[in-house]
Amino acid sequence: MDLNEINVTGKVMQVTKTGNSNGTKMTLGTIGVYRGKNKETGKPEFDNLPFVAYGAVSDYIQQDVKMMLSGKINVYIRQDGSKYGQQVVQMQVLQAYPIEQPELNANPNLNRDISNALDTLDFDKLTNQLNGASK
């Protein structure tokens, strides 16, 4: 395991697909990572982590999708005209995986319905039909 390795899960926001001067595909964005609930208000809090992805990985990143991003942290000083510049912390994405979420309108009785359907099937009749069709 590398010392500079990070895995985050959250909702991808503010995606900009572009390219750099070498012609490499590049995606810039932000991922909202759940931090926990505020002790005073009880409302959920999120940390927004900026990221960059290069090449084929950038194709897999989609806006407004819950994803797991894996990569490393880059820290650099951006010269903004001030005496010390501005420190920038950014995640470089090396792998991106969408997280499947269950449908909100899924039938909660689906397993029971499948079980009932299997119980009512006449397997002997189906077998005879298949055997008759194969002759």
Side-chain angles (χ1 to χ4, degrees), residues 1-2 7-8 18-19 42 54 72 76 92 102 104 106 112 126:
M1 183 173 104
D2 188 13
N7 296 312
V8 296
T18 183
Y54 298 101
K72 60 184 183 176
Y76 62 94
Q92 181 179 351
L104 296 176
R112 186 194 59 171
L126 286 173

Side-chain angles (χ1 to χ4, degrees), residues 53-120:
Y54 298 101
V57 176
S58 66
D59 293 335
Y60 295 100
I61 297 175
Q62 304 167 10
Q63 186 166 337
D64 296 327
V65 173
K66 189 172 183 183
M67 300 189 80
M68 184 189 89
L69 303 180
S70 179
K72 60 184 183 176
I73 294 288
N74 291 332
V75 180
Y76 62 94
I77 303 295
R78 178 173 43 207
Q79 297 303 323
D80 60 356
S82 66
K83 184 175 179 180
Y84 299 108
Q86 181 181 10
Q87 183 176 9
V88 177
V89 178
Q90 184 179 55
M91 178 180 182
Q92 181 179 351
V93 179
L94 302 175
Q95 298 173 335
Y97 304 98
I99 297 174
E100 296 291 327
Q101 293 181 312
E103 292 183 30
L104 296 176
N105 297 325
N107 184 354
N109 299 320
L110 184 60
N111 289 337
R112 186 194 59 171
D113 292 344
I114 290 172
S115 176
N116 288 343
L118 290 175
D119 289 343
T120 59

Side-chain angles (χ1 to χ4, degrees), residues 17-38:
K17 298 208 181 249
T18 183
N20 64 12
S21 59
N22 298 334
T24 304
K25 290 185 280 185
M26 184 169 74
T27 299
L28 299 167
T30 304
I31 184 165
V33 180
Y34 179 69
R35 176 190 228 186
K37 290 188 177 181
N38 185 308

